[in-house]
Amino acid sequence: GAGVSQSPRYKVAKRGQDVALRCDPISGHVSLFWYQQALGQGPEFLTYFQNEAQLDKSGLPSDRFFAERPEGSVSTLKIQRTQQEDSAVYLCASSLTASGNTIYFGEGSWLTVV
Amino acid sequence: AQKVTQAQTEISVVEKEDVTLDCVYETRDTTYYLFWYKQPPSGELVFLIRRNSFDEQNEISGRYSWNFQKSTSSFNFTITASQVVDSAVYFCALSPANTGNQFYFGTGTSLTVIP
């Protein structure tokens, strides 16, 4: 596609519910990233894929967060047993390759946990 | 440690004024990349510019210009003759070459251009 596409754009989840956020990167982009952005803050790194390999997941805040990219294209970020502190915008980004390349962001998935 | 500081939280200017957004970074890496992104209310981060650590030439693109100074670890962004459409949150980011393309963002500067 022309840009990074994310769905759903908005999600309201009840505390304890599981959610899945989808990211469709720019076609041909090898690297894919997930970031979390709290209100009034800059994006914080969660995890990074190169093709289907998850090379860095150091930013995932807890074991309730899980990301996958099984075929090296579309990625899903799953949050289990959501908590109120998980409320944030989840941004997906992609780039052609690694190291120093510009990353292009989607519009984000706005998650509110009530 | 990798860190980006945007000391200006909010700035308001009147249309047609020039405005400079400050960015100071910290890194021990010798090879790194610096970026500016614009985030309008829709939420998408829009790429504006990328510089590598070996290129200190200033750059101008239309009303936008960037001043990169390694001596002061700064990468400031100036908008000339601001317009209402420039109203957004602007983020500076650092990506050291050895971190697998991980980006470190500042907390952003919210710019409001008053008509």
Side-chain angles (χ1 to χ4, degrees), chain B residues 5-107:
Chain B
T5 301
Q6 294 180 256
Q8 305 151 307
T9 306
E10 295 181 2
I11 299 177
S12 291
V13 297
V14 176
E15 201 171 20
K16 298 184 182 176
E17 286 184 345
D18 299 348
V19 59
T20 296
L21 310 181
D22 297 333
C23 173
V24 174
Y25 62 92
E26 295 176 30
T27 182
R28 291 182 180 175
D29 291 75
T30 55
T31 303
Y32 53 88
Y33 303 87
L34 296 166
F35 299 79
W36 276 94
Y37 285 84
K38 173 182 180 180
Q39 188 173 44
S42 62
E44 181 178 354
L45 280 151
V46 178
F47 165 74
L48 295 178
I49 190 170
R50 167 183 179 268
R51 305 295 287 175
N52 74 56
S53 52
F54 300 109
D55 182 2
E56 286 192 71
Q57 273 194 336
N58 293 330
E59 181 155 341
I60 298 174
S61 175
R63 296 184 297 106
Y64 296 169
S65 62
W66 291 268
N67 185 311
F68 176 29
Q69 292 194 342
K70 282 179 81 169
S71 60
T72 55
S73 296
S74 66
F75 186 44
N76 297 338
F77 172 31
T78 297
I79 302 174
T80 303
S82 59
Q83 299 176 1
V84 172
V85 294
D86 296 328
S87 298
V89 181
Y90 291 84
F91 290 96
C92 180
L94 163 71
S95 181
N98 68 351
T99 60
N101 218 22
Q102 187 169 144
F103 277 51
Y104 299 86
F105 284 84
T107 51

Side-chain angles (χ1 to χ4, degrees), chain A residues 24-36:
Chain A
D24 200 341
I26 293 172
S27 178
H29 278 195
V30 167
S31 299
L32 184 145
F33 308 82
W34 284 99
Y35 282 79
Q36 180 189 58

Side-chain angles (χ1 to χ4, degrees), chain A:
Chain A
V4 178
S5 178
Q6 291 187 246
S7 62
R9 283 278 283 136
Y10 303 94
K11 175 71 179 178
V12 178
K14 290 185 178 179
R15 192 169 54 182
Q17 189 178 354
D18 295 351
V19 300
L21 309 176
R22 176 189 165 104
C23 172
D24 200 341
I26 293 172
S27 178
H29 278 195
V30 167
S31 299
L32 184 145
F33 308 82
W34 284 99
Y35 282 79
Q36 180 189 58
Q37 186 177 18
L39 193 63
Q41 299 296 315
E44 297 272 349
F45 171 80
L46 293 177
T47 187
Y48 155 58
F49 291 85
Q50 190 163 315
N51 295 306
E52 67 279 4
Q54 189 173 21
L55 299 187
D56 187 345
K57 52 182 181 179
S58 62
L60 295 176
S62 77
D63 59 8
R64 297 185 295 103
F65 286 71
F66 172 74
E68 59 183 6
R69 193 186 185 198
E71 297 177 3
S73 179
V74 171
S75 175
T76 303
L77 176 67
K78 296 179 179 177
I79 309 172
Q80 298 176 322
R81 304 180 304 282
T82 51
Q83 304 293 316
Q84 282 190 319
E85 61 263 28
D86 300 335
S87 296
V89 179
Y90 291 87
L91 295 163
C92 179
S94 69
S95 72
L96 269 174
T97 57
S99 191
N101 269 279
T102 300
I103 60 174
Y104 296 93
F105 285 85
E107 290 184 311
S109 290
W110 299 59
L111 173 65
T112 302
V113 181
V114 297

